[in-house]
Amino acid sequence: MENRYVVPKMVDYLHRKAGRAGIPLAGTFELSPLCNMDCRMCYVKMTPKEMEASGGRQRSVDEWIELAKTAQKQGMLFLLLTGGEPFLWKDFRVLYTELKKLGLVITINTNGTMIDEETVEWLKADPPQRLNITLYGSSDATYERLCRNPKGYTQTTHAIELLLKAGIGVKLNCSITPYNCEDIPDILKYAGEHGLIVQANSYMFPPLRRDESKIGMNDRFTPEEAARQLADVTYRQYGREWFGHHIEALKAGRGAMPHGEEDCQPEQGEPMRCRAGKSAFWVTWDGRLLACGMMNHPVAYPFEEGFENAWNKIREETAQIRLPAACTSCDKKEQCSICAAMVVTETGGFTQKPIYRCQMQNVYLSACEARMNAGENGSNDKR
């Protein structure tokens, strides 16, 4: 099977209709910034001390349930529960159970390391649509290097196999970094052997949510190496025939780089070209409503202002965002999967072009051609 992710056509159709009508079809509840791992490129993780210093507070089960009810009345159907690590949140089971009673289509983002037999038993009673599990490597050594968890691979794969045995849906995510790139072929092999699809990306957003001083910075590849890694994983996932058509499309000025997130599908011709602030929203652990989980602004406060007022504010302010003029006039704009979150995290505002992403785009075609020429013996080992 091809271990790649494609957005279901019906979901895409619903989002397009919701976006035109201003309906918040899909929400994300970020329950906590706490995590039992410490991934080098993470955009949100905090320690308890950092949480306290931030002045924010985690919301209660009752607050999240009430917010879900009011968002559902405004049209929310899909709900993603994330963190930090959501299974670390002490009231997660209670919250999940109550949210399921509302009839929402629930997905969970998790690193998988805290899912054991007991967890699978209660999930099996009323399973989520799926669990998105990030597989960071193909060995415990890689997990220790990237995530500072020396048992992470063993824990994660144990969880995946428990979930699959229980008939619970799993999709794999994969963040390609300098610390795990040698493992990508084995990650894809593991996915294939278990009948799983993988959503992989080599672009890592600067973690402004975690530290506003990190504009344009992260522990990541050079843009040229990120393009090469993306070309490699795309070849491996999509196959040689598709990849050849992809190269021809790139040469013709089409064929955008694959997207890393489900809610980041482009909608050409609109000022902000994704679902954020049109049919999708994100609520942070400390109670801020954002258009996109990578951005700190625009911002509203649904627990204080009410969800409807907060959503309308986000919609209005998102509609005012314009991508840089340099991007509008760029001859690669139909190929580039640039988004507002990339612009603001790379530059600190919305007026300058994101040089890192431009450099990545500029070499992507040549990286694809080199990967095609390398054939089945191609490698994504670090060079």
Side-chain angles (χ1 to χ4, degrees):
M1 65 173 287
E2 291 182 359
N3 36 23
R4 63 187 178 98
Y5 181 71
V6 178
V7 177
K9 290 183 179 180
M10 179 55 71
V11 173
D12 187 56
Y13 169 76
L14 290 174
H15 268 284
R16 290 182 182 277
K17 289 202 71 173
R20 288 192 291 269
I23 295 171
L25 182 68
T28 297
F29 287 0
E30 176 191 284
L31 304 177
S32 169
L34 298 176
C35 187
N36 61 322
M37 299 209 301
D38 188 17
C39 299
R40 294 176 182 273
M41 67 295 179
C42 184
Y43 65 92
V44 70
K45 192 221 170 169
M46 288 184 174
T47 65
K49 185 176 181 180
E50 288 169 335
M51 286 175 59
E52 183 178 355
S54 76
R57 70 170 180 87
Q58 294 187 83
R59 300 291 163 162
S60 68
V61 169
D62 289 341
E63 285 177 300
W64 284 118
I65 293 171
E66 187 59 31
L67 184 66
K69 289 178 179 178
T70 55
Q72 186 179 40
K73 288 177 182 177
Q74 294 298 312
M76 184 178 73
L77 173 62
F78 302 106
L79 178 60
L80 171 65
L81 300 177
T82 189
E85 172 48 50
F87 285 96
L88 189 64
W89 198 60
K90 63 184 179 64
D91 294 317
F92 183 71
R93 180 174 178 176
V94 175
L95 176 62
Y96 173 83
T97 301
E98 293 303 311
L99 291 173
K100 284 290 289 184
K101 290 178 183 178
L102 297 178
L104 296 165
V105 179
I106 295 178
T107 303
I108 303 170
N109 275 3
T110 174
N111 61 39
T113 61
M114 301 189 69
I115 298 174
D116 56 16
E117 287 80 358
E118 191 271 336
T119 305
V120 171
E121 280 303 307
W122 65 258
L123 283 173
K124 186 168 66 173
D126 195 1
Q129 178 193 33
R130 67 169 186 262
L131 286 93
N132 298 327
I133 297 181
T134 303
L135 190 58
Y136 289 100
S138 58
S139 70
D140 283 330
T142 299
Y143 266 76
E144 182 171 22
R145 186 166 60 245
L146 176 60
C147 310
R148 285 101 166 189
N149 181 348
K151 298 180 180 179
Y153 179 74
T154 299
Q155 294 168 337
T156 303
T157 52
H158 179 63
I160 290 168
E161 285 149 31
L162 287 175
L163 291 163
L164 293 178
K165 185 176 180 180
I168 299 172
V170 173
K171 177 174 78 71
L172 298 182
N173 291 330
C174 179
S175 300
I176 309 173
T177 77
Y179 302 94
N180 69 346
C181 58
E182 297 96 334
D183 290 24
I184 301 308
D186 288 337
I187 290 173
L188 296 179
K189 181 181 177 182
Y190 177 90
E193 290 172 348
H194 290 80
L196 297 172
I197 55 177
V198 182
Q199 195 164 345
N201 206 346
S202 61
Y203 175 76
M204 301 293 116
F205 284 92
L208 264 64
R209 283 280 317 282
R210 187 176 184 177
D211 183 346
E212 290 193 327
S213 72
K214 296 292 185 180
I215 295 170
M217 295 184 287
N218 203 339
D219 197 343
R220 60 186 180 180
F221 292 115
T222 64
E224 294 78 13
E225 181 65 9
R228 193 181 76 82
Q229 293 291 337
L230 183 60
D232 181 78
V233 76
T234 303
Y235 179 95
R236 293 177 185 276
Q237 289 186 279
Y238 287 63
R240 187 173 182 85
E241 181 178 356
W242 183 95
F243 198 70
H245 294 309
H246 182 52
I247 290 173
E248 292 307 311
L250 289 169
K251 290 179 178 178
R254 305 187 308 277
M257 290 189 287
H259 299 276
E261 299 295 335
E262 185 172 348
D263 281 336
C264 295
Q265 306 305 312
E267 297 181 8
Q268 297 288 350
E270 298 187 10
M272 192 165 162
R273 297 174 1 180
C274 66
R275 298 169 179 171
K278 297 174 186 172
S279 62
F281 65 91
W282 187 294
V283 183
T284 67
W285 66 273
D286 55 354
R288 293 174 293 143
L289 193 148
L290 307 172
C292 168
M294 298 297 128
M295 299 162 55
N296 284 317
H297 300 282
V299 61
Y301 300 90
F303 292 102
E304 291 77 25
E305 303 168 357
F307 178 81
E308 183 177 4
N309 290 333
W311 168 246
N312 287 335
K313 178 182 178 183
I314 290 296
R315 280 185 59 216
E316 292 169 5
E317 294 191 16
T318 298
Q320 301 305 311
I321 294 174
R322 295 293 183 273
L323 298 181
C327 295
T328 302
S329 60
C330 179
D331 60 2
K332 291 185 173 64
K333 68 178 181 180
E334 297 304 320
Q335 299 177 330
C336 186
S337 52
I338 188 67
C339 72
M342 290 176 187
V343 174
V344 75
T345 56
E346 295 288 353
T347 73
F350 293 111
T351 61
Q352 300 178 55
K353 64 181 181 179
I355 299 300
Y356 180 100
R357 190 67 180 187
C358 292
Q359 293 172 337
M360 189 176 170
Q361 179 66 56
N362 286 339
V363 300
Y364 180 63
L365 172 57
S366 61
C368 286
E369 291 177 321
R371 184 61 185 86
M372 189 71 165
N373 291 335
E376 298 305 316
N377 294 322
S379 169
N380 76 337
D381 291 346
K382 292 169 69 177
R383 296 176 183 172

